[in-house]
Amino acid sequence: MSAAMRRLESTPFSLALFDRKENLMSRRNRPETPDTEVLSSDALTRRRIAMGLAAAPFAAAVPNLSFAADHPTAKVNTTGLAVTDKEVIVGQLHSATGTMAISETGSIQAERLAIEQINAMGGVLGRQIKIIQEDGQSDWPTFAEKAKKLLVNDKVAAVFGCWTSASRKAVLPVFEKENGMLYYPTFYEGLEQSKNVIYTGQEATQQIIYGLDWVAKEKGAKSFFLIGSDYIWPRTSNKIARKHIENFQKAKVVGEEYYPLGHTNFNSLINKIKVAKPDCVYAIVVGGSNVAFYKQMKAAGITADKQLLLTISVTEDELLGIGGENCNGFYACMKYFQSLDNANNKKFVDAFKAKYGAKAVIGDVTQAAYLGPWLWKATVEKAGSFDIDKVAAASPGIEFKGAPEGYVKIHENHHLWSKARIGQIQTDGQFKMIAESADLIEPNPFPKGYQ
Amino acid sequence: MPDPPLPVHEGVSMTAAEITNIVMMQGFAGLSLFSVLLLMGLGLAIIFGQMGVINMAHGEFMTIGAYTIFLCSSLTQTYAPSFMPYYFFVAIVTAFILAFAFGWLAEWALIRHLYRRPLDTLLATWGLSLGMQQAFRSTFGAKEVSPTLPEWLLGSWMPHEGLDIPINGLFVMGLTLLVTGGVFLMLYRSRWGLRVRATVANRTMANAIGINTRKTDRMTFAIGCGIAGVAGAAFTTIGSTGPTSGSLYIVDAFLVVTFGGAASLLGTVASAFGIAQTQSVSEFFMTGSMARVLTLLLIISILMIRPQGLFAAKVRR
């Protein structure tokens, strides 16, 4: 883990900058004749070796230069993005430091893995992907500033980044003004849609409604206690949950409680749950509070054999901190679990562990982050261009059959069609999948009757 | 795992026994919060109260304790699994020693140069806390970890049906009693305590009668940090262990010490009790965020009337 972190922190900046400079120079000096192909291929090989391109598990594919030649830079890049004949630069914008580093590290790793695999396959339109990584430092204005830097100074073709809704809201105006493309990995509260963003996680209804229907149908839950950390995502999600419970399920909400982020004492809340005796506790607690919440629930005797609990905020990443033994038997509704049994996922988990260590775990958002670069590659190739407007226009209908979660497709509204799944927490910190939706669920960021 | 039988609903009606249970559990919740607050405030009270150093890195010294538990639990699990039920006690002592050592080092390298500039200690120790957080992140990774706790520390003690007393709460409570008692004994019954009190009362005079105030300062700071380490170790049973876990506690710790009145251990105890009861009772009757607002409002208004805190040491300056 620590080795992986160090690698992560030490490589990106200098190499990417150095490489870019070299590349710009060679581009300037190069006469526009076809016989430079040998030379450039040579330079490319050298650079690949210099980079170390840690794609050990993948055969070093020969870059498909003729493919690149079919797509001359002047044609695929009419808006002055950082695209040359041999490479394309993308940005990565997450918190590598600060409190959010806990959550965002997985996304950083997954995006890097995807980009590395794409490069090993020959890149995008015959161009190798280079990453410029910026650190949002868990600070929203910093996110906006770095987004501007990536789009204006570096002219990146796409940005993979953000995690919290707050950071996304902070960068959104920048992406819309400077016309950039953001691939956003986290499940979130919905109520947003932008030409400049592809949401690779679930919006609220995709995660909430299926889960609530499942506990109502399979477990007969008729009364719910809603709990959340006190900020936009849990509050909006619980609002949708309450509407669904009261208006569509005709069931009862017997309590709704919010606690400040970072709150560590839940004993009074637990007593309130004991008084209300809900059939189902619906929990959206995040961060360090999550750990305290489940440890204290267990200590107060609220365990899975006595209480049904459904959460949408606990993934394999959170379970590292909580410890499976503190919440085994509870249920989570996600679209992805590390334990999913399919060929895509097996390959993905193996590659991830080969790169980041056997102990690495993969949560829902990490998988969603992995989708970003692949969806972008498919979109660019469909559009035959890196230009933002063309990529945005080509996005709807793009599918990715190699997704670890199965199959995903981009909707008109730039969210993904994806399945919802119920997993039961095991003592080893993994989930056992109990149920999954029969079909892909349509993303609906502005649900009618839920506002 | 079989699913629980669902309770039958006919509105929320409770028997007298159930109400008694809830009242008792709620009472325990208040006491449990009290011991948590006291334990985290204690180390700070010694450092801030006795030395006037604003130690913003207090939370990180707690994190040292938490990570010590994590290390000890991993080591025990790998090399001596049969020792698992008992390792926690050894780990707590180790946590104290490690935090003590780091505190000693921090005082020697940083704090001792700043005694004449108390406000600058705020900045310096804040920097120290950021540095320590990054060090934790580089060593243990950015993600939270979960030490494997001994079986007997998990779950609840059930004297009779419907009454669950958290065992980790009892444990923290016992530890708090022990540490608080120890600190009181040390301060009022030992040579070191005498020297500390003399130094607090009048540094120049204490120096003049042959007390090595530099040594006393270092010892005091290190003991404060050591207690923070013990607190952090104890909190692994109820909270999270990650690079920034310490920051979850630092605000509450300062609240307890400031509200109680600096330089008064008794004040720290009283203020921890007051804050804990207000918070816990109001949480039961209103939402969590509102309860927090109410608690803070109360503290602010009392501090406006009594800026020196609940108990102020009567020292001639």
Side-chain angles (χ1 to χ4, degrees):
Chain A
M1 179 73 217
S2 61
M5 287 293 301
R6 264 199 299 281
R7 194 161 59 233
L8 228 154
E9 280 162 7
S10 60
T11 48
F13 308 94
S14 52
L15 268 177
L17 283 176
F18 168 76
D19 251 51
R20 209 173 140 232
K21 237 180 277 162
E22 182 205 349
N23 191 51
L24 287 175
M25 271 171 60
S26 66
R27 199 178 149 210
R28 219 178 292 130
N29 299 339
R30 197 186 52 212
E32 297 291 332
T33 46
D35 64 352
T36 48
E37 227 171 57
V38 183
L39 240 174
S40 57
S41 141
D42 199 59
L44 194 61
T45 319
R46 212 169 45 231
R47 184 154 47 242
R48 287 171 59 115
I49 292 167
M51 248 191 91
L53 200 95
F58 311 98
V62 182
N64 194 344
L65 284 170
S66 61
F67 193 52
D70 288 346
H71 298 86
T73 307
K75 216 177 122 207
V76 300
N77 175 24
T78 60
T79 48
L81 296 170
V83 178
T84 68
D85 288 353
K86 277 165 292 165
E87 57 183 47
V88 47
I89 295 177
V90 300
Q92 216 185 358
L93 178 57
H94 285 289
S95 301
T97 57
T99 70
M100 287 315 297
I102 291 175
S103 308
E104 299 194 43
T105 306
S107 303
I108 299 175
Q109 292 174 333
E111 285 156 8
R112 295 201 149 243
L113 176 67
I115 288 171
E116 201 169 85
Q117 291 176 339
I118 291 170
N119 279 343
M121 282 173 58
V124 179
L125 292 183
R127 289 159 176 86
Q128 291 286 302
I129 307 172
K130 280 278 160 56
I131 304 169
I132 295 182
Q133 188 185 4
E134 290 295 342
D135 182 4
Q137 299 169 6
S138 311
D139 178 59
W140 321 138
T142 308
F143 265 93
E145 191 185 299
K146 300 284 185 182
K148 189 157 190 185
K149 185 242 170 203
L150 283 172
L151 295 179
V152 176
N153 296 0
D154 302 325
K155 304 220 173 297
V156 295
V159 176
F160 305 98
C162 294
W163 206 94
T164 60
S165 288
S167 65
R168 189 193 66 252
K169 295 267 185 218
V171 303
L172 186 63
V174 180
F175 274 87
E176 292 186 335
K177 176 162 176 278
E178 308 295 344
N179 202 20
M181 206 68 205
L182 172 70
Y183 286 78
Y184 174 71
T186 323
F187 44 77
Y188 84 112
E189 67 279 356
L191 306 178
E192 194 182 290
Q193 180 181 330
S194 167
K195 170 198 145 196
N196 301 86
V197 184
I198 301 290
Y199 306 83
T200 65
Q202 314 86 304
E203 49 78 30
T205 63
Q206 286 176 301
Q207 204 180 9
I208 294 166
I209 293 172
Y210 179 77
L212 289 175
D213 285 347
W214 182 80
V215 284
K217 194 162 157 252
E218 299 295 322
K219 306 287 169 190
K222 292 203 168 38
S223 60
F224 293 83
F225 199 112
L226 313 179
I227 299 166
S229 290
D230 205 354
Y231 73 101
I232 180 167
W233 176 61
R235 276 197 181 259
T236 315
S237 299
N238 272 341
K239 202 166 126 195
I240 292 173
R242 181 185 269 271
K243 293 263 188 229
H244 188 69
I245 292 164
E246 290 176 344
N247 299 347
F248 295 90
Q249 294 187 335
K250 308 290 177 208
K252 246 188 351 191
V253 174
V254 293
E256 184 172 349
E257 292 280 334
Y258 297 94
Y259 281 77
L261 273 170
H263 192 76
T264 51
N265 205 291
F266 290 96
N267 286 325
S268 298
L269 170 68
I270 289 166
N271 286 334
K272 278 195 207 174
I273 297 175
K274 286 185 170 174
V275 172
K277 291 185 196 153
D279 292 345
C280 178
V281 173
Y282 194 67
I284 319 182
V285 183
V286 305
S289 295
N290 225 336
V291 181
F293 177 67
Y294 288 102
K295 280 189 174 173
Q296 289 165 24
M297 287 275 277
K298 162 128 186 172
I302 302 190
T303 46
D305 53 342
K306 294 187 202 136
Q307 176 69 53
L308 177 64
L309 181 145
L310 178 68
T311 173
I312 56 169
S313 62
V314 173
T315 72
E316 287 84 346
D317 285 313
E318 277 76 22
L319 284 176
L320 274 185
I322 300 169
E325 72 278 8
N326 286 312
C327 52
N328 63 315
F330 291 149
Y331 298 97
C333 185
M334 297 281 156
K335 68 170 175 172
Y336 172 84
F337 299 112
Q338 187 181 334
S339 60
L340 284 191
D341 188 21
N342 68 53
N344 288 346
N345 188 42
K346 211 162 260 153
K347 260 198 335 224
F348 169 57
V349 173
D350 287 347
F352 197 89
K353 289 194 167 185
K355 189 162 160 68
Y356 299 112
K359 278 190 176 170
V361 299
I362 305 164
D364 184 276
V365 184
T366 306
Q367 191 268 156
Y370 178 77
L371 302 179
W374 287 101
L375 290 169
W376 174 69
K377 168 185 152 65
T379 315
V380 168
E381 282 170 358
K382 178 184 165 199
S385 170
F386 290 98
D387 291 344
I388 303 295
D389 289 338
K390 289 177 191 154
V391 168
S395 284
I398 290 291
E399 44 185 30
F400 178 38
K401 294 191 173 112
E405 65 173 275
Y407 165 91
V408 294
K409 195 168 94 180
I410 303 181
H411 189 274
E412 291 288 332
N413 60 26
H414 280 195
H415 293 66
L416 294 190
W417 289 83
S418 54
K419 288 192 172 184
R421 297 179 165 97
I422 305 282
Q424 189 176 37
I425 299 171
Q426 309 292 304
T427 22
D428 63 357
Q430 289 289 325
F431 288 90
K432 187 172 123 197
M433 196 182 79
I434 303 289
E436 72 178 331
S437 59
D439 304 308
L440 295 172
I441 298 178
E442 182 176 5
N444 183 11
F446 299 97
K448 290 213 167 50
Y450 285 94
Q451 289 167 29
Chain B
M1 180 148 311
D3 282 300
L6 295 173
V8 189
H9 270 272
E10 311 109 359
V12 179
S13 58
M14 294 177 76
T15 61
E18 280 180 316
I19 293 174
T20 325
N21 284 342
I22 290 292
V23 169
M24 284 177 73
M25 285 191 286
Q26 193 52 33
F28 183 83
L31 285 179
S32 160
L33 182 59
F34 159 60
S35 47
V36 167
L37 288 179
L38 181 55
L39 197 54
M40 67 178 140
L42 211 55
L44 199 66
I46 295 176
I47 294 171
F48 181 48
Q50 311 296 314
M51 304 166 67
V53 170
I54 304 167
N55 184 16
M56 294 295 285
H58 187 71
E60 277 60 46
F61 282 100
M62 287 167 66
T63 315
I64 288 185
Y67 273 118
T68 310
I69 297 285
F70 171 67
L71 277 183
C72 289
S73 91
S74 326
L75 286 179
T76 315
Q77 222 168 12
T78 320
Y79 296 107
S82 59
F83 192 59
M84 271 316 271
Y86 318 106
Y87 88 91
F88 209 73
F89 298 102
V90 183
I92 285 187
V93 176
T94 321
F96 178 84
I97 295 171
L98 271 182
F100 181 93
F102 274 101
W104 184 280
L105 203 69
E107 204 276 350
W108 172 80
L110 195 67
I111 312 289
R112 68 182 168 130
H113 307 293
L114 299 170
Y115 283 125
R116 301 242 169 88
R117 300 180 282 164
L119 270 185
D120 292 352
T121 60
L122 183 135
L123 211 54
T125 51
W126 187 53
L128 181 66
S129 94
L130 292 182
M132 285 168 81
Q133 283 182 12
Q134 192 54 45
F136 297 140
R137 198 171 285 122
S138 309
T139 321
F140 298 98
K143 292 184 178 172
E144 287 172 323
V145 295
S146 165
T148 313
L149 299 173
E151 274 299 315
W152 57 266
L153 254 177
L154 301 173
S156 61
W157 173 56
M158 227 195 294
H160 59 84
E161 187 56 37
L163 179 63
D164 294 285
I165 302 292
I167 294 175
N168 56 15
L170 282 175
F171 179 79
V172 172
M173 212 177 271
L175 192 69
T176 307
L177 271 179
L178 205 72
V179 174
T180 315
V183 168
F184 267 97
L185 272 182
M186 288 273 282
L187 260 186
Y188 294 100
R189 291 284 178 276
S190 77
R191 301 293 295 177
W192 167 75
L194 198 62
R195 283 198 293 268
V196 169
R197 285 180 293 137
T199 311
V200 171
N202 191 327
R203 184 173 292 268
T204 328
M205 202 59 198
N207 241 333
I209 57 170
I211 292 174
N212 186 342
T213 52
R214 297 202 141 205
K215 220 169 117 189
T216 310
D217 284 336
R218 194 159 306 160
M219 190 70 182
T220 311
F221 191 82
I223 286 183
C225 290
I227 292 172
V230 172
F235 294 165
T236 54
T237 63
I238 52 168
S240 71
T241 309
T244 48
S245 296
S247 55
L248 299 180
Y249 301 115
I250 185 76
V251 174
D252 279 326
F254 267 105
L255 214 59
V256 167
V257 174
T258 320
F259 183 55
S264 161
L265 272 189
L266 206 63
T268 307
V269 176
S271 101
F273 189 79
I275 294 175
Q277 293 305 334
T278 317
Q279 175 87 18
S280 148
V281 170
S282 55
E283 259 176 15
F284 191 75
F285 292 105
M286 53 183 86
T287 68
S289 296
M290 280 317 290
R292 187 82 184 146
V293 171
L294 182 80
T295 314
L296 289 176
L297 270 181
L298 266 178
I299 293 175
I300 292 170
S301 15
I302 294 181
L303 279 181
M304 277 167 84
I305 302 165
R306 275 187 70 85
Q308 68 276 41
L310 288 181
F311 292 68
K314 294 187 183 62
V315 178
R316 198 171 293 142
R317 298 280 176 195

